[in-house]
Amino acid sequence: MKHLLLLCLFISSATFAQTTNYPGNGKSGFGGAVGQGTLAITDTGDSIFFRLTKGPGQFNDVLVFYIDAIAGGISSTQGLRGSGSAVSTAAAGYNNESQQSVLTFPANFQADLAVGFNKDTGNVFFYAFGVQTTGSATEIVPKGSNTSPNYTQKVSKASLGLSGPVTFKFIGTYISNTAYRSDEGFGESFAGFSRTTQGWQPHTATTFNTYSSLNALPVTISDLRAVKEKNRNVIKWTAAQEVNMEMYEVQRSFNGINFITIASVQPVNSSTTSAAYTAYDNAPRTGVNYYRLLARERGKAEVSRIVSINNFGGNNSIKVFRQGNIVTLALNGIEAGNYKLSIYNSNGQLLQAAILIHDGIDANKVITLKGAPAKGIYRLSIKSADASFSQSFMVD
């Protein structure tokens, strides 16, 4: 599975991308949580955020987005079989031979993958030769609640096999963990489809939505990070190719979802040279603080990716796990920023190097060792301008 082996190590800059909002189709077969809700999709540079603002019903079933992002894919869910979980069953549209709701896609739409989530969990599923395979799990906030007004799912671009600005078609459907389908969704009206009489009946979609993050603001942001400085947090970033920018607003959140502006910074507006910026949070909260930039330009407002910093202190660490030539690097409490990753052999020779872009959220990064590693002890280190961590691992 090439999608599962994509590295989370790459050199890039964080370009602003506009959030696009989509209304539900107005239906209420399962109470209107999706059909009478709204969806916001945001490209934050390294991740895609799907944010559901719930309608009147409870969010107690599964929202599945079928996505057409590359050439090829499947024309319907016919033949798909899940792996047994609620989200997998819903994405496949199959529970058993008598509980199956086949969804056929429009002629100019072929699903490459599906992204599904409910109040408890989320998954990415890839489609190859009519077979559903599971990709990475996704983050859901809040988790385990039926009554929250908003639900946000974070999906890394690497887990989708995507990078840079993206454009994709999608159809959203609301479906139970037994594959019983509602008439609620995004991008498709489900005209003539009744949840009360047709929940396990086939349906042919005729329309879809399209999302694109290609139309970014005229500025490129790099090295966005948050670092500790005594009793305050410092938010730093570099901007290049600024054209008619009006303002940068530094926003903070304690849950990664609800943000408030804590500082405003006037842009230099230089299209020929880069400019370094600094802002301060003089009242951070103990625990994890999340930060993002809101950039304003001629009436437009777009947000950056989110970075975070853990103000507990003393819990920063990395751990290295190896299986074959795949190394998993676990980051715990590491501050957001760009890190130089290096792997050395027991003689101190540099074998491999890359740039690790870390958003400050605890995560696992996957590194593929070049060639077959010889037996011995190796050392992996990551370094930034403000911090350095290393750990040894063995190949036997």
Side-chain angles (χ1 to χ4, degrees):
M1 287 294 296
K2 67 177 181 179
H3 301 282
L4 302 182
L5 297 179
L6 284 172
L7 297 183
C8 293
L9 300 169
F10 50 91
I11 301 175
S12 69
S13 57
T15 301
F16 286 99
Q18 188 174 11
T19 296
T20 304
N21 297 295
Y22 303 89
N25 63 5
K27 304 297 177 64
S28 58
F30 279 3
V34 169
Q36 296 182 14
T38 58
L39 172 71
I41 301 180
T42 303
D43 178 353
T44 62
D46 56 4
S47 298
I48 303 292
F49 282 74
F50 297 89
R51 180 179 173 87
L52 171 69
T53 298
K54 187 179 66 64
Q58 289 191 334
F59 185 51
N60 51 12
D61 288 287
V62 183
L63 178 55
V64 179
F65 300 109
Y66 297 101
I67 294 176
D68 181 357
I70 60 176
I74 59 173
S75 58
S76 80
T77 61
Q78 179 71 49
L80 293 180
R81 300 293 183 268
S83 59
S85 70
V87 178
S88 176
T89 297
Y94 180 93
N95 190 40
N96 54 51
E97 291 298 328
S98 62
Q99 296 180 338
Q100 179 180 15
S101 54
V102 175
L103 181 61
T104 298
F105 303 118
N108 53 346
F109 186 106
Q110 289 187 307
D112 314 301
L113 53 94
V115 177
F117 75 104
N118 60 14
K119 65 182 179 61
D120 298 311
T121 188
N123 271 107
V124 176
F125 303 95
F126 296 100
Y127 298 131
F129 308 108
V131 176
Q132 173 177 293
T133 56
T134 303
S136 61
T138 62
E139 299 176 30
I140 309 297
V141 179
K143 183 175 288 186
S145 168
N146 272 327
T147 56
S148 173
N150 300 290
Y151 297 85
T152 298
Q153 179 184 35
K154 177 186 177 182
V155 187
S156 71
K157 285 186 183 178
S159 71
L160 300 177
L162 303 175
S163 63
V166 298
T167 296
F168 57 81
K169 307 171 187 175
F170 72 93
I171 295 173
T173 179
Y174 195 35
I175 184 170
S176 77
N177 60 0
T178 63
Y180 195 84
R181 194 180 306 278
S182 172
D183 58 357
E184 301 180 42
F186 293 98
E188 165 59 19
S189 67
F190 284 91
F193 187 89
S194 168
R195 170 261 178 188
T196 57
T197 60
Q198 295 177 283
W200 282 313
Q201 297 300 310
H203 176 75
T204 299
T206 59
T207 58
F208 53 82
N209 287 133
T210 300
Y211 172 79
S212 178
S213 61
L214 293 174
N215 298 320
L217 284 179
V219 62
T220 299
I221 301 298
S222 62
D223 198 23
L224 173 62
R225 56 194 172 122
V227 297
K228 299 175 188 176
E229 185 183 275
K230 296 182 179 179
N231 295 324
R232 65 183 181 180
N233 291 341
V234 184
I235 301 88
K236 301 179 179 181
W237 70 97
T238 301
Q241 300 173 332
E242 294 174 315
V243 179
N244 296 320
M245 299 299 298
E246 295 176 0
M247 188 68 66
Y248 296 116
E249 295 182 17
V250 178
Q251 298 188 323
R252 181 188 64 199
S253 170
F254 296 136
N255 60 11
I257 297 175
N258 302 313
F259 286 82
I260 62 170
T261 297
I262 61 169
S264 296
V265 179
Q266 188 71 39
V268 174
N269 271 322
S270 173
S271 60
T272 58
T273 60
S274 61
Y277 295 96
T278 301
Y280 300 95
D281 180 1
N282 294 313
R285 191 178 73 170
T286 300
V288 179
N289 294 259
Y290 301 88
Y291 299 96
R292 71 184 186 187
L293 298 179
L294 178 69
R296 297 189 180 277
E297 183 264 341
R298 293 184 176 180
K300 293 174 60 179
E302 299 177 5
V303 296
S304 72
R305 67 186 181 96
I306 298 171
V307 298
S308 66
I309 184 170
N310 190 331
N311 283 95
F312 281 121
N315 296 323
N316 301 339
S317 68
I318 66 171
K319 294 183 179 179
V320 179
F321 307 91
R322 182 195 62 85
Q323 184 173 9
N325 68 335
I326 301 298
V327 171
T328 301
L329 172 63
L331 303 173
N332 302 298
I334 303 299
E335 295 177 355
N338 292 357
Y339 291 80
K340 180 180 179 181
L341 182 145
S342 304
I343 298 176
Y344 301 89
N345 63 15
S346 57
N347 295 321
Q349 295 174 310
L350 177 64
L351 302 180
Q352 200 163 326
I355 298 299
L356 172 66
I357 299 176
H358 180 46
D359 61 8
I361 300 174
D362 291 353
N364 293 335
K365 307 294 185 181
V366 178
I367 305 103
T368 301
L369 297 176
K370 296 178 180 178
K375 293 182 179 180
I377 298 176
Y378 295 77
R379 180 169 61 88
L380 184 152
S381 73
I382 61 172
K383 294 182 179 180
S384 71
D386 304 294
S388 176
F389 303 89
S390 67
Q391 184 177 330
S392 298
F393 64 95
M394 179 176 292
V395 174
D396 51 20

